[in-house]
Amino acid sequence: MSLAIAIAGVSGRTGREVAAACRAAAHIECAGAIVSPSNPLLVHTDAASGPPLTSDPNALPDFDVLVDFSIAALLPRLLDACERRERALVVGTTGHDAPQLERLRLGAQRIPIVLAPNTSVGVNVMLRLAREAAGALPPEYDARILDVHHRFKRDAPSGTALALRDAVGAGDSEREPASISSVRIGGRPGDHSLLFGSDDETLTLAHSTHSRAAFAAGALRAAAWVAGREPGLYTMQHVLFGAPLD
């Protein structure tokens, strides 16, 4: 049975990878895509060379899951479109403010949503390991996070760095919150390191993203998992392990 995906932010770096992954998948089709009103791709009308494009989420053809790699400000409109059709949403965008996050929580009462600051499978395994390490190590071990991304990334710390900090806190609430150092340089998709250090030793958990195809693969895995689920706010931990970190 085929899964119909719509993509918000299809002209962006990760959105293009999601579209490519859809084309390569045997049972997934890209039903439509969203770009900004000023994007010159909107003149594209040849359905044979790509999915239908629109700047209006409500004008999308029918879909099963909307995958979002656009901008945080677009989230309310994406939620409106998904709620109106009772369709699932995978949010890979980061940098949402408090009102947007509250709108997301309200939306999850009506539709199933996967909120994933990082859709990479490897990063989400790292989050699980971070919680386990924090629970096993004494609280006097310092925890530090290094967050390295490309120069164009808008938010710092990254959503992944914040998720790592939360994972450490979930593993041991007595430990001082992990401090985060963010670096924005070059074109790196994303590198994250978590260090636990005592006077006698250092434990390092590290993950490097070599290609945004890793984000696309995880996003499609999340889309396949969330399609048809009951309303609720899920994470990649639900997708991979069946349960949240906390």
Side-chain angles (χ1 to χ4, degrees), residues 141 197-202:
Y141 279 62
S198 71
D199 291 343
D200 304 310
E201 64 180 350
T202 300

Side-chain angles (χ1 to χ4, degrees), residues 158-203:
S158 68
T160 303
L162 295 173
L164 278 170
R165 186 180 65 187
D166 291 345
V168 171
D172 180 6
S173 60
E174 296 183 9
R175 189 186 310 276
E176 286 292 321
S179 64
I180 302 173
S181 299
S182 297
V183 177
R184 300 292 177 259
I185 187 170
R188 301 165 74 128
D191 296 343
H192 296 89
S193 299
L194 169 62
L195 295 85
F196 293 97
S198 71
D199 291 343
D200 304 310
E201 64 180 350
T202 300
L203 171 66

Side-chain angles (χ1 to χ4, degrees), residues 60-71:
L60 284 168
D62 194 25
F63 58 87
D64 298 308
V65 184
L66 175 57
V67 175
D68 174 29
F69 283 101
S70 58
I71 57 174

Side-chain angles (χ1 to χ4, degrees), residues 7-23 30 33 35 39 41 69 212-213 216:
I7 305 169
V10 72
S11 61
R13 296 177 181 88
T14 305
R16 290 195 298 267
E17 291 289 351
V18 175
C22 285
R23 290 193 296 270
C30 185
V35 295
N39 195 307
L41 288 175
F69 283 101
R212 289 178 176 82

Side-chain angles (χ1 to χ4, degrees), residues 85-174:
R85 303 181 191 215
E86 298 184 337
R87 296 295 187 261
L89 174 64
V90 174
V91 181
T93 306
T94 60
H96 300 99
D97 60 22
Q100 290 161 351
L101 291 173
E102 179 60 24
R103 176 68 181 87
L104 191 70
R105 285 187 284 269
L106 291 173
Q109 297 175 14
R110 300 184 60 187
I111 60 171
I113 300 171
V114 174
L115 177 60
N118 190 316
T119 54
S120 157
V121 171
V123 157
N124 285 281
V125 171
M126 182 182 178
L127 292 174
R128 181 73 47 158
L129 295 173
R131 186 188 70 169
E132 295 299 320
L137 294 170
E140 57 264 25
Y141 279 62
D142 300 323
R144 302 288 185 268
I145 297 167
L146 179 60
D147 156 39
V148 182
H149 278 273
H150 56 89
R151 66 171 68 92
F152 302 108
K153 186 167 179 60
R154 301 182 183 188
D155 52 318
S158 68
T160 303
L162 295 173
L164 278 170
R165 186 180 65 187
D166 291 345
V168 171
D172 180 6
S173 60
E174 296 183 9

